[in-house]
Every structure is written in C-alpha cells, then in structure tokens.
Amino acid sequence: MTGSADASIKERLVTENTTTPPSSQKILESEPGHKCLISGKEVIMLSSNNYLGLASHPRVKRASQEAIERYGCSTGAARRLGGLTVIQKQLEEELAKFKSTDSAVVFTSGYTANVGTIQALMGKEDMIFSDELNHASIVDGCRLSGARVEVFPHCDTVALERILANSRARKKLVVTDSVFSMNGDIAPIPDLVRLAGEFNASLMVDDAHATGVLGEHGGGCLDHFHLEGQAEVVMGTLGKALGSVGGFIAGSSRLVEFLESKGRSILFTTALPPAAVAASLEALMVIREEPELRRKLWHNTTFFRDRLKRNGLHLLPGETPIIPIIVGETSQAERLAGLLFSKGIFVSRVGYPYVPEGQARLRTIVSAQHTTEELAYCADAISESIKEMGLEQKPSGQ
Ligand SMILES: Cc1ncc(COP(=O)(O)O)c(C=O)c1O
C-alpha cells in the first residue's frame, strides 16, 4: 500500500460518521427467544427475525447437534469442489417442494443469494426494474451485474408500467422484496406478475421475510396470493423464520443448474456447514407439522398492531409481523430504544443508511413465542415512553 492510500484510509476512519457507536452495541448472551439475555440484562426480545421461534425449537436444535456428530463442523470446500453434502441436496429438494418449484439451490446467506443471482443473470445490455425500498443485497447485486437499473417508487405499479413500456432492453428483470424489511408492507405481487408477463420481463421476488410466515402453508408470498410458479426467480433466507443461516434460490431446473455453474457467490465460498443445513431441513418439517406456530404468529401480530393503534400510535399501512414505529431523528430513536431497554424490552432502532434521513424508527417484530401479556406490556411501554420523551410520533416521520 502506498503512503498516500494509507493516509486517505486513516482520514476516512477519522472523518466518517459511524451509525452505531460500538459502545452502544448490545450483545446477545442467550438464545434469540422471546426472552433474552442481552448485555447482562433479561429482556423481552421485540426485534428478532426468528418469527416462529425455530432457532431454539428442540427438534431443530437436536437435528443440528446430530449433524455435527455425523458430518462435522464444516464442509471444508466450496460446493463444486467437494463441499456439497448429502443433507444439503436433501434440503434443496425440500425447499423446491416448499416453494412449489422444480428445483432449488442453497447459498451461504440470503445476501449472497441475491448478489450472486442477479450478477449471474443480468449483464450490461440488460435492464433491471427495482423497487426503491428493496433490500441492500438486491441493490448490490444490481450494481455488480453492470445492468442498467431503473428504480421505481415504492410499490408504484403505474410508474413501473410506464418505465417498462418505454424500455427497449431485450432482457428485463423486475425485482422486489415480497415483505419490505424496514416497512413491513407486502409488495403488490399480483400486479407485478401481470406486468412482467405483459412486458416480457422476468420477475424475481425476495421472500426473506415471507418464507415460513406468509401463505396458507407458510410457503411465502406466492402461496399467500395463490400464484405459485408465477415468479421465475424466488429467493429466500434460512436465517429468519427457518431459524438457521443461509439463503436459497428456487425456480426451474435450468435456472438452478445455471446458478450452480455461474453463481460466483456459490463457486468461490465454502458450502454451508452441516449444522445449519440440518437445522433448516428440520425447520421445514416443523413448519409443515406445526401450523399452529404460524397461526400464533398472526394472532400475536394482530393483537400487537391493534394495541399500538388503540394507544394512539400512527402505524404505516401493513399487516405483517414487522411493525415499524417511526419517530424521526436517529438520536430520538436511539433514546427511545434506550428507555425501553431500561424497562426490560430490547427493540432495535434503525436510522440512516438503513432508512431515509428523518425516518428513523423502532423496528418491532412480533414472534409466535410472545405471550399476550408480554405484547401488551411492550405496546404500553412504547406509547408511554414516547409520551415521556415528548415525541410527536408520525407514520412518515414528517
Ligand atoms: C429482504 C431481505 N433480503 C435479504 C436479506 C439477507 O438475508 P440473510 O440475512 O440471510 O443474508 C435480508 C436480511 O436482512 C432481508 O431482509
């Protein structure tokens, strides 16, 4: 490294603001259940993506432990270089069934699934149409692909139709989160399916927050809208409702074969460890055999949303377990989260760059594990704390 490059890095480290001062970073010291030990304090967890509690489900933990005994702690190689385990193949078959597709392929995270897939499928002659609130992994995949990217206003299918109609690109991809991770609303999937068909574009949905959560069988957004098979590329994560870690793409056999040989984030990384694979495989069985978990999640979600509204809070339109409470400035969200922590509740506060400036929020997430008493306590503590701080809470942060 040259002296000047070294100096510029140092300069950046000094001048650049970091969004989370390391001193305020809370540390998880237990399972990520509805009650957790965080930085030495027992709290109600109100911000975990562990929607169904499967990260600590006895069956899931046992499957993971047994896989370590049988297959060890690491696969020791990338998929194509000897790291593909028999249980990963089994997981891929089960994921394909779960998503009602021909085939599926596993990545080491949802992030690398999005980045590797978009980069492999699209190139500089092509055009991607991406919702403005799509997850950062989609944004990064679009950038890496070199394709032209048209960002359309959030869930605005009229604007999307206009830009699709004006596009002369030969290959077009419409890409959207199905449940938006920071707002908790659901994308207008039926309209997106229709528009993709009308304009000869492919549709890719990021089902990270819908897998195991939405739909009669927990299959995700296409299950929810009874549109199975209508998106060419379906992405999911194993790190949220499935209680483990990893990501996947479900679609046609041809798509999966293509990604196995062209997806750089598959080719150049160690395959997922057996403990994670076995946990996800068992989680899929639990989702199938214990639908009451999903019913409880939705019951809890409705209860918590209603209680917050009854307490006078303004919520963004939405129906999912992700319920943001927008307060405005990052410093206000930080103070509010601190006050709630002192009352025994952990809730993550999210500011720029995760969300636009001035729209910092508490990102509350309900799980199937919460009791009604816990949720009532949290909803009341949030509204009381907002009053105590004299905050004027508005849905848009304006
Ligand atoms: C919508 C969305 N897509 C993709 C990801 C990435 O998934 P993973 O955490 O498995 O990398 C996330 C997780 O934060 C997400 O919210």
Side-chain angles (χ1 to χ4, degrees), residues 45 48 139 161 166 179 213 217 243 253 270 289 296 306 345 358:
M45 163 55 83
S48 177
V139 175
E161 180 161 6
N166 285 334
V179 172
V213 173
H217 308 286
S253 305
T270 303
E289 290 161 25
K296 178 81 187 314
D306 288 349
I345 301 165

Side-chain angles (χ1 to χ4, degrees), residues 109-111 114 135 137 177 179 181 206 208-209 235 237 239-240 246:
S109 71
Y111 181 92
N114 272 336
H135 190 258
S137 51
D177 284 14
V179 172
S181 56
D206 173 336
H209 292 278
M235 172 272 172
T237 174
K240 302 192 192 296

